[in-house]
Amino acid sequence: MLELRGWWVEEMRVTPSPLTERMTLFWHNHFVSSAQKVQLSDRSGLHPALAPLLPLWEKRRLALLQGVGYPAPNLPHFRSIEIWDTASRSNVVLQGGWLTRAFTDDPVPASFAADGVIIGSSDLGPLAGGRVRGGLYGAAPDLAALGGDGSPAYALEFRNVYATALETFWGIDSRDALGGRFAPVPFMTV
């Protein structure tokens, strides 16, 4: 999953030198011009280095989740990361991660890796076996319509994405791990 975190958008908005921030990303080859990108739709594309993913897109086996976020975002970087790692609300501090809570009463699945999914390994967990329903989900952030705190509106709540992995892939009820009911996003088949 590739993501542009809200803290970076905030940095771009408030930094005294946004051009320097943007140029740093270009120097490190993170963003490219419209002419260079691999076109997926009229408004979406991939960095040329991700061109090998295009056959998956064309076969509808690659899903791109846009505008993933959460209500009342907490903009300091480390707190925001903590919210994503624990699946907590902005005003709640939790000690354990959401996956730890999810697997407390269930055996840890063989495809689970606490440090993420390693692309190129023989077992990609939720990304393997043709279970992805390809397409664009959510909506790209509209930087011209920022909220009162300067954050872009989110299109998908991140806990809905987590619920998708827990319920659709691992078959685990997500309520305890995520602190409530979050409907899975239909980018994955059962």
Side-chain angles (χ1 to χ4, degrees), residues 6 9 28-29 31 34 42 51 56 60 63 85 97-98 100 104 111 125 127 137 143 154-155 174 180:
V9 173
H28 292 280
N29 205 23
F31 291 113
S34 294
D42 61 333
L56 291 173
R60 304 219 19 101
D85 289 348
W98 65 279
T100 300
T104 296
S111 61
L127 302 178
Y137 295 87
L143 299 181
Y154 65 93
S174 64

Side-chain angles (χ1 to χ4, degrees), residues 26 31-39 42-46 48:
F26 281 106
F31 291 113
V32 295
S33 72
S34 294
Q36 295 172 303
K37 72 181 176 186
V38 177
Q39 198 73 35
D42 61 333
R43 299 193 61 192
S44 298
L46 295 175

Side-chain angles (χ1 to χ4, degrees), residues 133-154:
R133 272 192 195 125
L136 293 172
Y137 295 87
D142 183 357
L143 299 181
L146 300 177
D149 65 354
S151 297
Y154 65 93

